[in-house]
Amino acid sequence: QVQLVESGGGLVQAGGSLRLSCAASGRAFSSYTMGWFRQAPGKEREFVARITWSTGWVFYADYVKGRFTISRDNAKNTVYLQMNSLKPEDTAVYYCAARRISDPDYTYWGQGTPVTVSS
């Protein structure tokens, strides 16, 4: 059974940093793409970043490019999202997700971790 467990969220002032973690278990993820998404109150869920587990290839949404960094630790089966220069508009619940590289949709989702950026 696949499990994705996020952690690391919290309250931070604008300009600050947080690092989110996503611990993945239940299968081998070498053929998977891992993604981070977020959903702000009253808004739809939106894509933040993704990483291909086997190659480390990454892709970012324009609104986080240059501020956020996605990475993975193969030994720990964990994906990270380093968030710097945080803005109040980054406030949201952040979700980790996984899909096979060949699939268009994400199959597995974590429970989310809340991030609040105060001005």
Side-chain angles (χ1 to χ4, degrees), residues 30 32 50-60 70-72 74:
S30 57
Y32 278 68
R50 66 174 181 259
I51 186 167
T52 301
W53 202 287
S54 56
T55 63
W57 183 82
V58 300
F59 182 80
Y60 298 94
I70 188 171
S71 62
R72 89 277 194 231
N74 290 337

Side-chain angles (χ1 to χ4, degrees), residues 75-98:
K76 296 182 178 180
N77 242 25
T78 299
V79 176
Y80 302 99
L81 186 67
Q82 177 67 43
M83 306 186 296
N84 299 328
S85 302
L86 283 162
K87 305 174 182 180
E89 51 263 43
D90 294 318
T91 294
V93 177
Y94 283 71
Y95 297 91
C96 176

